Amino acid sequence: QVDVVESGGGLVQPGGSLRLSCVVSIRNFDSYPMAWYRQAPGEQREWVAEVSRTGPTNYADFVKGRFAISRYNAKNTVYLQMNSLKPDDTAVYYCNTGRTSPYRANWGQGTQVTVSS
């Protein structure tokens, strides 16, 4: 069962921008906080940003001021606008329910983001 489909990744130069999208096929999507996570090669998956059910957001320090998370409940979609990208942002990006949510959807394939000149 595919719960989450991420898209929008790619190769971008340092300082560039990308917009990731995530379509979520779970019941009552609008009742969950949603988050983006990422996993770099050889590293554990880490939390990046979160948007609550009603819109307030929270960010990891390493992306604060550069990334913006949003959601469109009518389309079960979560977005991540990434600006001022750095090589350290290179990772596979995933979305799922919020980091403290008792419910976790099946993880998707993620979308690869590579920041390199």
Side-chain angles (χ1 to χ4, degrees):
Q1 178 180 344
V2 178
D3 289 341
V4 177
V5 179
E6 300 94 345
S7 63
L11 173 63
V12 62
Q13 292 187 340
S17 298
L18 284 173
R19 188 191 194 209
L20 308 184
S21 299
C22 167
V23 179
V24 184
S25 301
I26 59 174
R27 293 182 64 183
N28 303 317
F29 165 80
D30 57 358
S31 67
Y32 296 102
M34 295 299 299
W36 283 93
Y37 303 82
R38 70 186 188 185
Q39 186 168 19
E43 302 290 334
Q44 290 192 332
R45 187 177 290 156
E46 61 183 353
W47 174 85
V48 174
E50 188 159 322
V51 56
S52 74
R53 296 177 297 123
T54 55
T57 57
N58 197 14
Y59 298 92
D61 286 345
F62 52 79
V63 304
K64 202 169 290 184
R66 300 188 297 123
F67 290 11
I69 186 172
S70 60
R71 66 190 296 163
Y72 186 25
N73 287 339
K75 292 195 173 184
N76 280 28
T77 301
V78 186
Y79 302 99
L80 186 68
Q81 177 66 44
M82 306 188 296
N83 300 324
S84 302
L85 283 160
K86 305 174 181 179
D88 285 351
D89 295 318
T90 295
V92 179
Y93 284 71
Y94 303 87
C95 79
N96 212 308
T97 53
R99 54 183 169 171
T100 61
S101 174
Y103 175 76
R104 187 70 73 231
N106 293 319
W107 291 95
Q109 295 295 310
T111 186
Q112 175 71 49
V113 172
T114 302
V115 185
S116 175
S117 55

